[in-house]
Amino acid sequence: QRLLNSFEKNKDRLPLFPQVRLHTTQTLHHQFPDCSPFNVCFEINPVYSVLFPNLLQFLYEYLKEKGVSFLFNTELHSIESTHPGLKLDTSMGQYQTESLILATGTESRFFVPHLLIESIPGMILIFQLTRPLSFAISASGHAVPLANNQCAVGAIPSPLEEWIEEEQEQKLKAKAIELIPHLAQANCLRRWIGKRAVYSPEREPLVGAIPSQQGLYVLTGFASKGLLWIPQTASLLAQSLTGAHVTFPN
């Protein structure tokens, strides 16, 4: 009921509001026989797929059209407050700017160490299926269908000091079978390992101005929920940068 209420409360933020249907174990097995028999499950339609290369290309072209300049293959060495503004020392030289947004994930911690941003590794496995997967699922983990009868399953976040790749892979395979039992017979093609930025101890997104450095802003700490949180938080941050009064939600 809490999840249904959440969808109803926030449906004005979604351009195409999805339909949400509650499944029992019986109706879930009837409609999605490959899915594990959860006691309660929500079916959400429509579901949209986004190819990351296409998304990045769209964002790049949109921002370039708005006058944003890009520096590729450039390292940022230091940030110095100049009152007003900031001086950036990079591998391509020095730059002066009125404001800077740190949206560099785990790397943000090197420039603002007092913000307690952790780097948490995570793993995704790619399976080759014998038949196509007709749904994406999010529970204690997630499974997403890919092209060519493949499926991505994730994710295993663990503290860096506990990270042993082979152990994490076995845990993730067990989680995959919990979500979709017939993955026990599927071939695991490869694994992908990345890092997530987590803000400790709250483990909530970190968005807004850095009080100790005028002109410096941060947009990070989204862990595994980047695509879910960033559209709204980036919009709120943009409004703040252009002088609008913004109240960030809890």
Side-chain angles (χ1 to χ4, degrees):
Q1 187 61 48
R2 181 177 62 84
L3 184 59
L4 288 172
N5 291 342
S6 177
F7 273 102
E8 185 64 28
K9 179 180 177 181
N10 294 285
K11 67 180 182 179
D12 59 324
R13 300 181 182 181
L14 301 173
L16 295 174
F17 183 65
Q19 299 300 310
V20 182
R21 177 186 176 192
L22 176 63
H23 280 290
T24 63
T25 303
Q26 290 74 22
T27 60
L28 177 66
H29 179 72
H30 177 74
Q31 188 157 348
F32 302 103
D34 287 335
C35 186
S36 286
F38 296 103
N39 292 331
V40 177
C41 181
F42 294 93
E43 178 188 355
I44 302 173
N45 274 308
V47 174
Y48 305 96
S49 61
V50 177
L51 295 175
F52 276 101
N54 295 354
L55 176 62
L56 292 175
Q57 185 65 28
F58 169 80
L59 292 173
Y60 170 72
E61 293 176 355
Y62 177 83
L63 293 171
K64 192 174 181 180
E65 181 183 321
K66 298 296 183 181
V68 175
S69 299
F70 291 84
L71 294 175
F72 295 108
N73 302 315
T74 303
E75 294 183 3
L76 177 60
H77 297 151
S78 65
I79 304 169
E80 180 183 344
S81 297
T82 55
H83 303 292
L86 300 165
K87 183 171 74 173
L88 313 180
D89 182 24
T90 79
S91 58
M92 298 291 288
Q94 293 188 340
Y95 295 87
Q96 187 73 27
T97 181
E98 292 183 7
S99 57
L100 175 70
I101 302 172
L102 286 176
T104 53
T106 59
E107 306 305 312
S108 303
R109 61 199 173 111
F110 297 114
F111 301 104
V112 278
H114 60 283
L115 291 181
L116 304 178
I117 299 170
E118 284 188 79
S119 176
I120 303 293
M123 179 183 292
I124 290 175
L125 298 180
I126 307 298
F127 289 90
Q128 181 67 57
L129 308 180
T130 56
R131 57 183 182 272
L133 187 66
S134 62
F135 57 88
I137 184 170
S138 177
S140 57
H142 67 264
V144 180
L146 305 174
N148 303 317
N149 284 1
Q150 294 180 7
C151 169
V153 178
I156 292 288
S158 296
L160 191 59
E161 61 272 13
E162 300 176 9
W163 186 266
I164 300 175
E165 289 187 14
E166 289 71 21
E167 290 183 5
Q168 300 301 324
E169 181 172 336
Q170 291 307 312
K171 289 180 182 179
L172 187 50
K173 285 181 178 178
K175 178 180 287 189
I177 295 168
E178 286 181 13
L179 296 174
I180 305 170
H182 80 260
L183 286 182
Q185 287 76 47
N187 180 29
C188 183
L189 299 177
R190 61 189 182 275
R191 64 189 182 193
W192 180 88
I193 298 172
K195 294 180 180 179
R196 300 165 171 172
V198 176
Y199 176 56
S200 299
E202 289 83 357
R203 293 184 175 265
E204 297 286 346
L206 188 63
V207 182
I210 305 296
S212 59
Q213 290 183 270
Q214 184 178 356
L216 184 61
Y217 300 80
V218 67
L219 183 73
T220 189
F222 296 95
S224 62
K225 302 294 190 294
L227 285 179
L228 299 177
W229 276 101
I230 287 174
Q232 182 188 12
T233 54
S235 176
L236 292 170
L237 182 57
Q239 294 175 47
S240 176
L241 286 167
T242 54
H245 176 71
V246 176
T247 301
F248 286 93
N250 294 325

